Amino acid sequence: MKTLQCGFPKVKDVLGDCLGYAQKVLSEDGVDAYIDGAQAICRMGRGEAPVLAFLEEMPLTASLLGEEIIHDVVDFVKKLARTPNSRSIAPFLQGMASIARSLESAELFQKYMWLVKRTMESTTPKVHGIDSMYESACLKEFLESAPQLFNQLSMRGVKNWVEYGVKNYSADPDSQREYFSLTSPDSRAVLQRERYGVLFSDSERKLSLYLRGLWEIEESFVPYSLAFDTLRNPVPYYDEQGIHLPDVYDDLPGVNGLDRYRALLAHVSAHIRWTTPMMADNYSPFQRISIEAFEDCRVEHLAMREYPGLARIWKRLHPKPLEGSCPEGWSQIRHRIAMLSRALLDPDHGYENAAIVKYERLFREKMAHGNSSTTEMADLGVAFISETRQQSDLGAKIWFEDTEIEYRDDNRLMWRFFEDGDEEVYETRPTSQPKDETEKMPPRLYPEWDHAANHYRPDWVSLYENLHPAGDAAKIDRLLEKNAQLAKRLKKIMDMLKPQNRVRIRYQEEGSELDLDVAIRSITDFRGGAQPDPRINMNHRHDGRNIAVSLLLDLSASLDDVAPGCTQSKLEISQEAVSLLAWAVDELGDPLAIGGFHSDTRHEVRYLHFKGYGESWGPEVKGRLAKMEAGFSTRMGAAIRHAGHYLSHQQAEKKLLLVLTDGEPSDVDVQDPKTLIEDAKVAVRELDGKGVYTYCISLDPSADEYVSDIFGRNFTVIDHIASLPDRLPKLFMALTK
């Protein structure tokens, strides 16, 4: 364990007791971070008071908020020490445990530190609009008052109280100090004004007992504040950390703040007990919100069977949208779903909409025969959306009035997403193209950007994915032999790119060398009469390169054209280039997926898999590449979204999507050429937001007119197509070195 080197006598007197408490409530790493933090504060030269406060208050703070908060507090104190406000360090540290006890959330404590910084900046005297070298007029007073403030107010209330003092006393430092020290009548009046609602910190014990007593559930609570995120307006949710809920609830007509907390916890608990998670990728966004409404009401009905009193509180909190209130021209999807939810919850809803009446009846029939299931609710949700869908649902103007059901969580516990990366293992996929329409796999629905209307068309494109049929793998071997000299040059480059860090892989029955530790233990077991472990060898692998790559091939009909100045078609040259690239990437050990696409209207976009991330470069992959064929059109946006969907779930630090195309996006059902160009541009931007880097290699000499609109500066135009087998692998290596 580390030791603290600090010469202050009082620090030496209390160090033993403080360290003993820290060892009880913190891990070994946490204790080391605690000592490092105290050492850093001691070296600041701000006296013994900050060090004493840190030693006494930090262990409890870290045990309440998590040990990561130690580093955050030390970093914040260092920043404070670099300002003229070093006198405020001690009161900040002295009050942090009390404030942590009130907030009970590392996220809210981060917001508190932001508020301290904002207060310091707002109350520092300025000369000609520039911060002076004088300390804040009232930061020390605010920090001394903060524990009392947070004991009575929510984060929003404290923020409002601070902003009032900053705004109204900016020209009078003396009055500002009185305000922030809670001695002025105005300060106490504003404090009383901001005391509204039920604070979570005052009700935590009651709510914890409520969960354990009624639901037999023990979960952590993670409060958040709405004061700093008014645009996003966070909603409650449940994840591995616990139940995330607001730090304060106002009283509503007929429902007090504590009952609002109970309504939320009852709803989340019902989900935890009865909801079976499903794969979100199998449903469109509209289908998901419809399924969620049915599932929300299903678990509430099951909860009301056990605790009938919940019906009263949920009906009071659930909005009752007025039928026909949504104006013409607005998207009615949220309004219609809210009406459906109200009808499923309240038999006396009074709605006359035929679809809502029909699906209410179907829902109650299923509930009458038992608990029903999440899967049955999914069937009802999909059917309801399919039957009630309107053209106006696609509009950008969405009607929100009386559609917010605030006591419900965001339903993330209902859904599972592809996480582990190799979604393209093909044992469960068809082994060839479907022979007829009845053998199609269900389509993946993707939105498309309508640049004229400036909004998405949801579920506009139907994308069908299949495993590409296989051909003669020897054809690819012949292409590699043809380019043997190029492969040798590439090999030299790859040897320089290969990671040099060697990692041992132990416990192998066959390996490159003996693992002495395991071998000795096996001999000891054998002589003692026990069964020896046969895994006495080990291998090594190289580590240090963490890149996942997806190669997306445009397989439109123009690929069959003969390349200018060549005897080969663009398709044949692309086969050579892709084969060399796949061989090179396999040599490097990077995960690589190869897919191709073409389209015949928005209803028929084909995505063909040549190689999955988990497949090795072998005869099966070579056979698919050998059978590569071209046809139809180039609806690029949906294909980019689909390839990016798989790539974004790869566990890699860098994710590269290479798009190889010979023309601009187009399709037979699109008249305006700009439509698909703009959609592809938006698709690239979407992937960029997911951390996927997209790069285009174009074989179209005229590509400069449109390719920069889609990919920005991330593209290369290859004018001499015959050089593609040489250029493509080298370009990949340049992008990933």
Side-chain angles (χ1 to χ4, degrees):
M1 187 181 69
K2 297 181 178 180
T3 58
L4 176 62
Q5 304 296 327
C6 190
F8 295 116
K10 289 186 178 179
V11 171
K12 293 180 180 179
D13 292 341
V14 303
L15 180 59
D17 292 338
C18 293
L19 198 54
Y21 178 66
Q23 289 172 328
K24 290 181 181 179
V25 298
L26 302 178
S27 67
E28 186 175 341
D29 290 341
V31 172
D32 287 344
Y34 169 62
I35 295 173
D36 288 341
Q39 191 72 66
I41 293 174
C42 185
R43 288 172 180 167
M44 291 177 186
R46 306 299 180 185
E48 63 185 14
V51 187
L52 289 170
F54 182 86
L55 288 172
E56 293 170 355
E57 302 293 326
M58 195 70 251
L60 178 57
T61 303
S63 67
L64 291 170
L65 305 181
E67 294 176 359
E68 287 297 321
I69 204 67
I70 299 175
H71 302 286
D72 297 333
V73 167
V74 173
D75 289 343
F76 182 76
V77 169
K78 287 179 180 178
K79 293 175 183 176
L80 204 58
R82 291 194 288 268
T83 71
N85 295 279
S86 58
R87 287 197 315 133
S88 299
I89 294 175
F92 168 75
L93 294 172
Q94 289 162 356
M96 63 181 178
S98 175
I99 293 170
R101 195 182 293 109
S102 296
L103 296 178
E104 298 188 351
S105 163
E107 179 186 357
L108 288 182
F109 196 86
Q110 293 278 9
K111 297 284 197 281
Y112 164 62
M113 290 192 289
W114 176 90
L115 185 60
V116 172
K117 178 175 176 290
R118 177 74 176 272
T119 305
M120 177 185 69
E121 294 170 348
S122 303
T123 58
T124 296
K126 291 179 170 51
V127 178
H128 304 298
I130 302 174
D131 288 350
S132 69
M133 294 304 293
Y134 297 101
E135 68 176 327
S136 163
C138 58
L139 180 62
K140 181 174 177 291
E141 287 74 12
F142 168 56
L143 293 171
E144 290 170 346
S145 302
Q148 182 178 349
L149 291 170
F150 280 102
N151 191 42
Q152 301 180 64
L153 302 180
S154 66
M155 178 63 78
R156 181 194 291 273
V158 175
K159 181 171 179 283
N160 292 341
W161 183 87
V162 168
E163 289 176 348
Y164 182 95
V166 170
K167 179 180 178 182
N168 290 279
Y169 299 104
S170 58
D172 188 351
D174 291 334
S175 297
Q176 199 170 61
R177 273 189 289 272
E178 289 182 5
Y179 179 90
F180 279 92
S181 61
L182 282 171
T183 57
S184 71
D186 199 17
S187 173
R188 293 192 293 271
V190 176
L191 174 63
Q192 292 300 321
R193 187 188 70 187
E194 294 297 332
R195 290 182 65 180
Y196 59 88
V198 174
L199 291 179
F200 168 77
S201 58
D202 292 340
S203 310
E204 181 184 10
R205 179 170 175 77
K206 294 179 183 178
L207 297 176
S208 180
L209 292 172
Y210 173 78
L211 271 187
R212 283 189 285 172
L214 271 68
W215 298 100
E216 299 179 352
I217 291 174
E218 291 194 30
E219 285 291 347
S220 300
F221 295 125
V222 186
Y224 59 80
S225 173
L226 302 177
F228 297 88
D229 206 350
T230 55
L231 289 178
R232 188 171 63 93
N233 192 23
V235 297
Y237 64 94
Y238 172 77
D239 63 10
E240 64 277 1
Q241 294 181 353
I243 301 174
H244 298 248
L245 68 181
D247 63 343
V248 62
Y249 260 144
D250 298 340
D251 293 344
L252 296 177
V255 184
N256 62 39
L258 185 59
D259 280 344
R260 291 182 67 187
Y261 276 120
R262 288 171 176 154
L264 164 63
L265 294 180
H267 180 82
V268 174
S269 300
H271 272 305
I272 293 172
R273 181 178 293 185
W274 290 299
T275 292
T276 303
M278 299 184 297
M279 293 305 298
D281 304 77
N282 296 333
Y283 302 98
S284 72
F286 281 1
Q287 290 172 341
R288 287 205 295 269
I289 62 173
S290 178
I291 293 168
E292 287 172 4
F294 279 100
E295 180 66 5
D296 282 338
C297 292
R298 181 183 79 92
V299 298
E300 287 179 6
H301 273 265
L302 296 176
M304 288 186 293
R305 288 179 186 175
E306 294 193 20
Y307 307 111
L310 288 170
R312 176 190 60 81
I313 186 172
W314 277 337
K315 287 178 184 178
R316 287 186 177 178
L317 291 173
H318 196 298
K320 187 173 183 180
L322 184 63
E323 189 168 10
S325 63
C326 183
E328 188 175 349
W330 286 69
S331 172
Q332 301 182 17
I333 183 68
R334 286 183 61 90
H335 182 261
R336 191 162 63 252
I337 293 294
M339 287 174 56
L340 170 70
S341 176
R342 179 74 196 196
L344 300 182
L345 182 64
D346 180 9
D348 301 321
H349 53 83
Y351 295 133
E352 298 179 358
N353 181 286
I356 288 178
V357 172
K358 170 186 173 182
Y359 281 90
E360 181 206 355
R361 175 178 53 79
L362 294 174
F363 171 81
R364 296 190 186 281
E365 287 175 357
K366 289 187 178 295
M367 296 304 299
H369 292 89
N371 289 353
S372 188
S373 68
T374 308
T375 304
E376 289 178 286
M377 296 301 104
D379 294 339
L380 284 178
V382 171
F384 178 79
I385 281 294
S386 178
E387 186 170 326
T388 62
R389 187 169 178 175
Q390 303 174 10
Q391 184 63 32
S392 62
D393 292 345
L394 307 176
K397 296 195 302 181
I398 302 175
W399 187 251
F400 279 89
E401 185 174 328
D402 289 333
T403 63
E404 299 287 336
I405 309 173
E406 294 182 350
Y407 72 86
R408 290 179 178 173
D409 63 314
D410 68 357
N411 283 314
R412 68 182 64 186
L413 82 169
M414 277 185 61
W415 304 110
R416 294 288 180 268
F417 297 86
F418 290 121
E419 295 289 350
D420 294 330
D422 196 8
E423 295 82 14
E424 298 186 47
V425 176
Y426 297 123
E427 285 75 13
T428 58
R429 295 185 183 276
T431 56
S432 63
Q433 290 272 32
K435 295 179 182 179
D436 56 49
E437 296 299 304
T438 61
E439 293 185 25
K440 282 184 182 178
M441 293 177 64
R444 291 289 298 272
L445 302 178
Y446 283 100
E448 191 168 86
W449 182 255
D450 184 347
H451 78 99
N454 199 36
H455 65 70
Y456 283 102
R457 295 167 170 167
D459 301 344
W460 187 252
V461 178
S462 299
L463 183 145
Y464 295 87
E465 55 181 328
N466 297 96
L467 195 61
H468 198 286
D472 182 12
K475 177 181 178 181
I476 301 300
D477 291 329
R478 290 192 293 271
L479 290 177
L480 292 174
E481 290 175 9
K482 172 186 171 183
N483 293 277
Q485 292 301 317
L486 174 58
K488 286 182 180 179
R489 296 199 301 272
L490 293 174
K491 186 77 165 60
K492 293 180 180 178
I493 301 174
M494 287 185 296
D495 287 340
M496 292 186 288
L497 289 178
K498 282 184 178 179
Q500 301 303 313
N501 302 331
R502 285 165 59 84
V503 178
R504 289 189 304 171
I505 306 176
R506 305 184 66 188
Y507 299 102
Q508 304 292 306
E509 291 194 26
E510 297 181 1
S512 59
E513 59 183 276
L514 192 67
D515 190 335
L516 289 177
D517 292 340
V518 181
I520 292 171
R521 189 168 64 243
S522 295
I523 292 173
T524 304
D525 291 341
F526 176 74
R527 290 180 176 176
Q531 179 67 33
D533 190 340
R535 301 172 300 164
I536 60 173
N537 296 299
M538 64 180 174
N539 280 317
H540 291 88
R541 64 177 173 84
H542 291 287
D543 198 11
R545 183 178 168 93
N546 194 4
I547 301 173
V549 185
S550 177
L551 178 60
L552 180 61
L553 309 176
D554 170 8
L555 299 179
S556 57
S558 57
L559 212 61
D560 276 332
D561 298 342
V562 176
C566 302
T567 57
Q568 295 176 289
S569 69
K570 297 178 187 177
L571 179 66
E572 292 170 324
I573 295 173
S574 297
Q575 272 181 324
E576 286 188 40
V578 172
S579 301
L580 275 168
L581 176 63
W583 168 80
V585 176
D586 185 67
E587 286 287 313
L588 285 171
D590 296 334
L592 170 70
I594 304 175
F597 74 97
H598 53 66
S599 63
D600 184 18
T601 76
R602 69 182 180 90
H603 301 291
E604 187 80 14
V605 177
R606 285 285 180 186
Y607 190 98
L608 304 168
H609 294 280
F610 292 95
K611 180 184 181 300
Y613 292 106
E615 288 187 291
S616 60
W617 172 244
E620 291 186 0
V621 175
K622 293 176 183 177
R624 296 176 200 138
L625 289 174
K627 189 71 172 177
M628 186 189 297
E629 297 176 346
F632 303 106
S633 303
T634 315
R635 207 175 197 105
M636 188 180 292
I640 287 176
R641 289 183 177 95
H642 195 64
H645 164 75
Y646 286 129
L647 180 56
S648 65
H649 289 91
Q650 285 295 303
Q651 302 299 314
E653 291 180 5
K654 299 178 182 178
K655 301 168 186 178
L656 172 65
L657 174 61
L658 288 174
V659 181
L660 179 61
T661 179
D662 71 327
E664 66 181 300
S666 63
D667 209 342
V668 293
D669 62 340
V670 178
Q671 304 302 319
D672 182 0
K674 192 175 180 181
T675 297
L676 296 185
I677 291 175
E678 289 295 316
D679 176 59
K681 175 182 177 180
V682 171
V684 169
R685 191 170 62 201
E686 291 168 7
L687 294 189
D688 184 61
K690 297 178 181 178
V692 175
Y693 181 81
T694 309
Y695 196 93
C696 176
I697 300 100
S698 178
L699 309 180
D700 181 7
S702 305
D704 299 272
E705 299 175 5
Y706 60 85
V707 72
S708 61
D709 289 342
I710 301 174
F711 298 95
R713 304 167 77 177
N714 302 332
F715 70 91
T716 295
V717 177
I718 298 180
D719 295 318
H720 303 290
I721 300 177
S723 66
L724 180 64
D726 184 18
R727 296 280 302 278
L728 183 60
K730 290 182 179 178
L731 182 61
F732 163 76
M733 294 174 195
L735 289 170
T736 62
K737 68 180 179 180

